[in-house]
């Protein structure tokens, strides 16, 4: 069950399956359910999949993972792209998940938000007001606002402005609010909503002249800076979990894995349009520089 599927993720998913000998449509039947347009139906879609009684369910994102965990305690579940499964109550520990669920996280919890803020402040020297674009319906965003954000603000000496969006239209209002509050930059915490509305988010950042930090590589097309996990790699690695579970391994015996690849991408054209000079130290650390 996934919000939606970009081609890069779909290709990586199928590649990971093929590496283990599984070919969709040949020796593997996959039923897809998408929920980005109907987030209120996540629980209903989870129940729908459980009713099919599959051998395994893949859950992309925290909303899907939580809904599926509530829907079944017996069918194996593998999640992909969940930031802090322990804090969310999905697993007992990363090394010993327990229960019927395991998977791959998007980053190591703790100070990842602070790292993103530090990077955007390298690009915008003297930035003291940073807006955080969040979806209050996203459980990971609620956790970040309760724990990571206050710690980051305290340690970095920055004022964090919270702007919220639960619909595409509210994204417009969130950016207008950030601009009205004189934010120096904005960090998109990322969510199925902003992920699917990537071009809109990038265009709004340009409209309001706001330097913006994004989580995933596709936003670097027009977006200023990306720092986050290599998500296609996570989808590829999910094939290993599928293989092991279908061959009899219990999710409780499969440790949760964290990203092994992070990407720093800088768009120089966007930086120039914003009147920003990218420090050589940041350029040297970049995995890709878009001219």
């Amino acid at each position: 069950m996934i919000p939606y599927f970009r081609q890069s993720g779909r290709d990586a998913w199928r590649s990971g399956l093929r590496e283990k000998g599984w070919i969709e449509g040949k020796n593997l039947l996959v039923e897809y359910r998408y929920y980005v347009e109907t987030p209120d139906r996540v629980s209903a879609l989870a129940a729908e999949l459980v009713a099919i009684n599959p051998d395994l369910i893949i859950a992309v994102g925290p909303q899907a993972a939580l809904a599926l965990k509530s829907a079944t305690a017996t069918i194996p579940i593998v999640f992909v792209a969940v930031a802090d499964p322990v804090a969310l109550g999905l697993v007992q520990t990363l090394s010993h998940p327990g229960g019927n669920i395991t998977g791959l996280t998007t980053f190591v919890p703790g100070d990842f938000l602070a790292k993103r803020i530090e990077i955007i402040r390298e690009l915008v020297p003297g930035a003291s007001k940073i807006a955080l674009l969040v979806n209050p319906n996203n459980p990971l965003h609620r956790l970040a606002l309760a724990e990571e954000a206050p710690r980051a603000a305290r340690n970095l000496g920055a004022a964090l402005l919270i702007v919220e969006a639960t619909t595409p239209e509210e994204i417009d209002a969130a950016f207008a609010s950030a601009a009205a509050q004189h934010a120096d930059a904005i960090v998109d915490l990322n969510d199925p909503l902003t992920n699917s509305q990537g071009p809109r988010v990038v265009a709004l950042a340009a409209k309001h002249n706001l330097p913006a930090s994004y989580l995933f590589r596709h936003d670097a097309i027009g977006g200023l800076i990306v720092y986050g996990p290599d998500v296609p790699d996570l989808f590829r690695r999910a094939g290993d979990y599928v293989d092991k579970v279908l061959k009899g391994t219990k999710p409780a015996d499969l440790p949760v894995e964290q990203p092994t690849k992070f990407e720093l991408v800088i768009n120089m054209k966007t930086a120039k349009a914003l009147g920003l000079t990218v420090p050589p130290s940041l350029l040297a650390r970049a995995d890709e520089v878009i001219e």
Side-chain angles (χ1 to χ4, degrees), residues 84-239:
D84 195 341
V86 176
L88 286 175
L90 290 171
V91 299
Q92 294 174 12
T93 66
L94 298 183
S95 56
H96 298 93
N100 63 317
I101 186 166
T102 188
L104 297 122
T105 69
T106 46
F107 55 80
V108 181
D111 295 310
F112 187 74
L113 176 58
K115 181 68 174 177
R116 293 186 65 193
I117 294 170
E118 281 182 318
I119 289 174
I120 194 71
R121 289 178 82 187
E122 284 187 65
L123 263 175
V124 190
S128 59
K129 265 189 192 179
I130 310 293
L132 302 182
L133 177 59
V134 306
N135 184 340
N137 295 333
N138 186 321
L140 284 172
H141 289 191
R142 293 196 296 269
L143 277 173
L145 294 183
E147 299 175 11
E148 276 194 81
R151 185 168 61 247
R154 187 169 56 251
N155 293 342
L156 299 175
L160 301 182
L161 313 174
I162 311 304
V163 293
E164 300 181 346
T166 60
T167 66
E169 294 71 29
E170 287 180 0
I171 298 174
D172 296 54
F175 269 88
S177 174
Q181 296 180 73
H182 306 290
D184 298 308
I186 188 166
V187 175
D188 175 10
L189 262 61
N190 197 267
D191 171 84
L193 172 65
T194 55
N195 215 349
S196 66
Q197 296 289 319
R200 184 187 204 126
V201 174
V202 169
L204 284 166
K207 174 184 175 181
H208 292 285
N209 206 41
L210 270 173
S213 166
Y214 306 91
L215 191 62
F216 298 132
R217 176 181 281 268
H218 54 256
D219 288 319
I221 303 173
L224 175 62
I225 191 163
V226 168
Y227 180 68
D230 182 339
V231 173
D233 183 61
L234 295 179
F235 276 110
R236 182 189 61 77
R237 289 165 58 194

Side-chain angles (χ1 to χ4, degrees), residues 17-18 20-30 55 242-243 246-247:
L17 292 173
R18 282 196 304 272
K20 299 299 178 180
W22 298 99
I23 300 175
E24 189 176 340
K26 187 174 181 181
N27 61 355
L28 186 70
L29 177 63
V30 182
D55 297 306
V242 171
D243 180 63
L246 293 182
K247 289 178 178 176

Side-chain angles (χ1 to χ4, degrees), residues 64-82:
L66 288 167
L68 285 164
K69 182 175 173 62
S70 296
T72 178
T74 55
I75 298 174
I77 299 167
V78 171
F79 59 75
V80 182
V82 173

